[in-house]
Amino acid sequence: MTGTLYIVATPIGNLADSSPRSVEILRSADIVACEDTRTSRTLLAHHGINARTVALHAHNEREAGEKLLRALREGSNVALVSDAGTPAISDPGALLVAAAHREGLRVIPVPGPSAAIAAYSASGFAADSFQFVGFLSNRKKNSLEELDVPWPVVLYEAPHRVLETVAALLEHFGPERELVIARELTKKFEEVARMRLADAPGWLAGAHRQDGEFVLVLGPGEQKRPALAEAERVLGILLEHLPASEAAKLSSKITGVPKKELYAIAVKRVK
Ligand code: SAM
C-alpha cells in the first residue's frame, strides 16, 4: 500500500481557522512537510501535535520532494503545509504534487484558508470569473495591459511595495477603476476597504496602513469588443519594433479596427 499526499491549508493569521479535519490529518500524518519547520511547529504545538517534520521549501523542493516520494511509495502518509494558507498557491508544493500524480500516488486536498479567496470573497465584485496573478514581478509591472480584463484580478503584494504597485495601477487603469485593499486578514488589525484607485494612495498614507500583509483586488475593466481586444494584442507586439504610427497602421490593416482608434491607444502606451 502506498501512502497519501495531503495538501493541508492552514490559518493565514487566526489559529481558530484550522478546520477540525486539517488538525486530524496533521495529527495522523507520518510526516508533515513544512515550508518552514519552525513556523509550522508553532501551529502543531498549538494543537498538541508532535509530528515528524521535514522542510520542503522553494530552494530544496526537488531533493526534499524525492525523499518524500520515496516515503509515500513505502506507505507513509505525508501532510504538506506552507507557512500560511493553502500550499502551492504562490507557495512551494506544486512540484511535489505533480511528481506524486506522475507516480499514480493519491493526492488529497484538505481545503481551508487562502488569502486570495478570502480577499476576493470580501471584495463584492460580482463576476463569473476572476484572475489570480500572485505577486506582480517587475516584468509583469511593465505589462499591466495584460491585467486590463473584464473580470476582477487578485494580487498579492508585500508591504514595502504596496504603495508603488497601487501607484502603477492608478497610472495604468485611471482614477475611476475600483480597488479592494485587504490587509492583515483574520488578524487584529484586519481591514478590507473598497475604493476608487484615485483614493488608494491616500488610504495607504494613513497611520500603519502600509504594515502587514496585503491582497489587492482590482475591479473588472470594461468588456472590450473582441476585434479591439485582438487589435490591442497585435498593436502591443508591433509596438515593440515599430513607432506608434506604423504599429497603428499595420494593426489596423490586420484587424480592421480604425487606425485612429489604435493610434490613440499606441500613443498612450509609448508615453
Ligand atoms: N499560499 C498562501 C495562501 O493561500 O494564502 C499565500 C502565500 S504568499 C507567499 C503570501 C502572501 O499572501 C502575502 O505576501 C500576502 O500578500 C498574502 N497574505 C497572506 N496572509 C495574509 C493575510 N492574513 N492578509 C492579507 N494578505 C495575506
Side-chain angles (χ1 to χ4, degrees):
M1 274 285 280
T2 55
T4 298
L5 175 61
Y6 294 96
I7 316 303
V8 183
T10 59
I12 55 172
N14 188 329
L15 291 185
D17 287 337
S18 284
S19 72
R21 182 172 170 234
S22 72
V23 174
E24 207 33 59
I25 298 283
L26 291 173
R27 197 184 301 286
S28 62
D30 299 299
I31 302 171
V32 179
C34 314
E35 182 180 5
D36 181 330
T37 49
R38 273 175 311 175
T39 304
S40 296
R41 273 201 207 113
T42 308
L43 175 75
L44 294 170
H46 176 79
H47 295 292
I49 299 172
N50 185 17
R52 180 179 159 209
T53 56
V54 165
L56 179 118
H57 46 69
H59 306 292
N60 77 345
E61 194 168 350
R62 273 180 207 285
E63 314 84 80
E66 275 307 317
K67 289 189 189 139
L68 290 166
L69 286 170
R70 200 172 315 131
L72 282 159
R73 271 186 238 116
E74 287 167 1
S76 298
N77 288 326
V78 175
L80 172 68
V81 296
S82 60
D83 285 352
T86 302
I89 310 285
S90 292
D91 265 341
L95 292 181
L96 174 63
V97 172
H101 282 303
R102 274 198 300 278
E103 299 210 10
L105 295 162
R106 216 158 106 95
V107 178
I108 301 288
V110 182
S114 177
I117 299 296
Y120 180 63
S121 71
S123 71
F125 294 123
D128 293 334
S129 56
F130 69 92
Q131 188 170 341
F132 172 67
V133 295
F135 292 97
L136 273 189
S137 62
N138 283 336
R139 188 185 57 75
K140 284 194 214 153
K141 267 187 205 154
N142 293 333
S143 54
L144 285 178
E145 57 265 22
E146 283 171 23
L147 305 187
D148 198 5
V149 288
W151 46 78
V153 176
V154 180
L155 316 162
Y156 285 155
E157 198 42 282
H160 62 281
R161 279 197 307 256
V162 68
L163 189 57
E164 180 199 317
T165 296
V166 163
L169 294 175
L170 172 60
E171 190 184 334
H172 193 87
F173 298 105
E176 297 305 322
R177 181 70 73 89
E178 284 194 288
L179 181 74
V180 168
I181 303 180
R183 170 177 170 261
E184 292 288 86
L185 291 167
T186 78
K187 302 187 207 176
K188 188 169 175 192
F189 297 110
E190 176 171 32
E191 288 185 285
V192 180
R194 180 163 159 170
M195 64 199 80
R196 298 181 324 140
L197 264 176
D199 300 323
W203 190 90
L204 284 169
H208 302 296
R209 283 262 172 79
Q210 285 168 57
D211 296 345
E213 299 193 277
F214 289 85
V215 182
L216 303 175
V217 187
L218 181 67
E222 277 170 32
Q223 184 84 48
K224 287 194 182 142
R225 298 176 345 247
L228 179 59
E230 174 60 5
E232 284 196 29
R233 193 185 69 78
V234 172
L235 183 67
I237 297 169
L238 293 178
L239 276 176
E240 287 172 18
H241 308 282
L242 296 171
S245 60
E246 280 299 299
K249 192 164 100 187
L250 273 178
S251 40
S252 168
K253 275 196 179 157
I254 294 166
T255 62
V257 171
K259 184 177 124 193
K260 205 171 147 196
E261 197 174 347
L262 292 175
Y263 181 67
I265 297 168
V267 169
K268 266 198 215 156
R269 287 210 193 161
V270 295
K271 216 171 37 173

